[in-house]
Amino acid sequence: IVAIKILNDEYNGNQQAEARFIDESKAVAMLSNKNIVNVFDVAIYPDIKYIVMEYLDGKSLKDYAEENGGKISPEEAADLIMPVLDALDAMHKKNMIHRDIAPDNIYICNDGKIKLLDFGSARIAVQDAEKSLSVMVKPGYAPKEQYASRSKQGPWTDVYSVCATLYRLITGEAPVESIERD
């Protein structure tokens, strides 16, 4: 069983949306890890762009937490996050960063597997502040360096987001945006 993600017609022709879709396709296709959604094919044509990936039956970690009163125990949260850390380790070994870790991008499959999704913000890690990255943030889950286009980003960027995700799961409260923290 497969799922097909097609760039919506409303975004076709939008260069920024198309670039993000292509980046996501390339990023996921490069990765192979049991905790990352599998991509089987990527097609990029002038009139249509799509990704053929494994079909996942289950729910997002965000939905799971909401169904359990908005928060879960620290032990369960740790168990659910460990596969995400494994997926990030595989990414980081390929010098890639996800840049969008949050409860809605972590999927709990009905068979118990945990899968990391949404690689539209993934990039090759930037080791110096001279290179420019698109500013893409998920309020509460993005570290300060993601709010600037010229910033040093790396595996620590994802680690911050994982910690923010754990905070949300354990407390039931959305994390404060990093740029609003002292």
Side-chain angles (χ1 to χ4, degrees):
I1 297 177
V2 296
I4 299 175
K5 182 175 183 178
I6 300 172
L7 183 63
N8 296 338
D9 287 338
E10 65 186 274
Y11 296 109
N12 232 351
N14 176 325
Q15 290 180 338
Q16 188 176 20
E18 287 184 10
R20 183 175 172 172
F21 187 86
I22 291 167
D23 288 346
E24 177 179 8
S25 303
K26 290 177 182 176
V28 180
M30 286 178 49
L31 300 170
S32 178
N33 181 278
K34 66 183 179 181
N35 299 310
I36 295 174
V37 64
N38 290 311
V39 170
F40 304 118
D41 194 15
V42 176
I44 301 169
Y45 301 104
D47 295 337
I48 189 166
K49 293 150 186 71
Y50 64 86
I51 307 170
V52 179
M53 64 183 93
E54 91 183 280
Y55 174 77
L56 302 175
D57 193 17
K59 64 185 80 170
S60 71
L61 186 52
K62 178 182 178 183
D63 290 343
Y64 177 78
E66 287 173 7
E67 289 174 5
N68 286 282
K71 60 184 180 177
I72 58 179
S73 73
E75 296 79 18
E76 185 177 15
D79 287 344
L80 293 170
I81 287 295
M82 291 308 291
V84 175
L85 293 174
D86 180 63
L88 289 172
D89 183 53
M91 287 187 73
H92 296 161
K93 284 180 178 173
K94 290 193 177 268
N95 202 33
M96 294 180 68
I97 52 177
H98 189 278
R99 300 189 336 138
D100 196 14
I101 304 297
D104 55 333
N105 288 335
I106 300 167
Y107 209 75
I108 304 172
C109 300
N110 289 341
D111 64 4
K113 293 178 185 170
I114 307 295
K115 296 279 187 166
L116 184 57
L117 310 174
D118 195 350
F119 292 80
S121 296
R123 297 288 181 269
I124 300 299
V126 175
Q127 300 300 326
D128 60 46
E130 299 304 313
K131 293 185 181 177
S132 182
L133 288 174
S134 56
V135 176
M136 301 183 83
V137 297
K138 188 165 285 177
Y141 299 95
K144 286 183 180 182
E145 64 264 20
Q146 271 187 260
Y147 284 84
S149 63
R150 293 191 178 274
S151 65
K152 195 173 186 178
Q153 297 182 31
W156 57 87
T157 305
D158 290 335
V159 170
Y160 180 96
S161 299
V162 168
C163 293
T165 297
L166 279 169
Y167 177 87
R168 166 63 182 85
L169 295 173
I170 294 168
T171 67
E173 298 176 16
V176 174
E177 285 192 60
S178 60
I179 58 171
E180 295 180 12
R181 303 177 82 134
D182 292 329

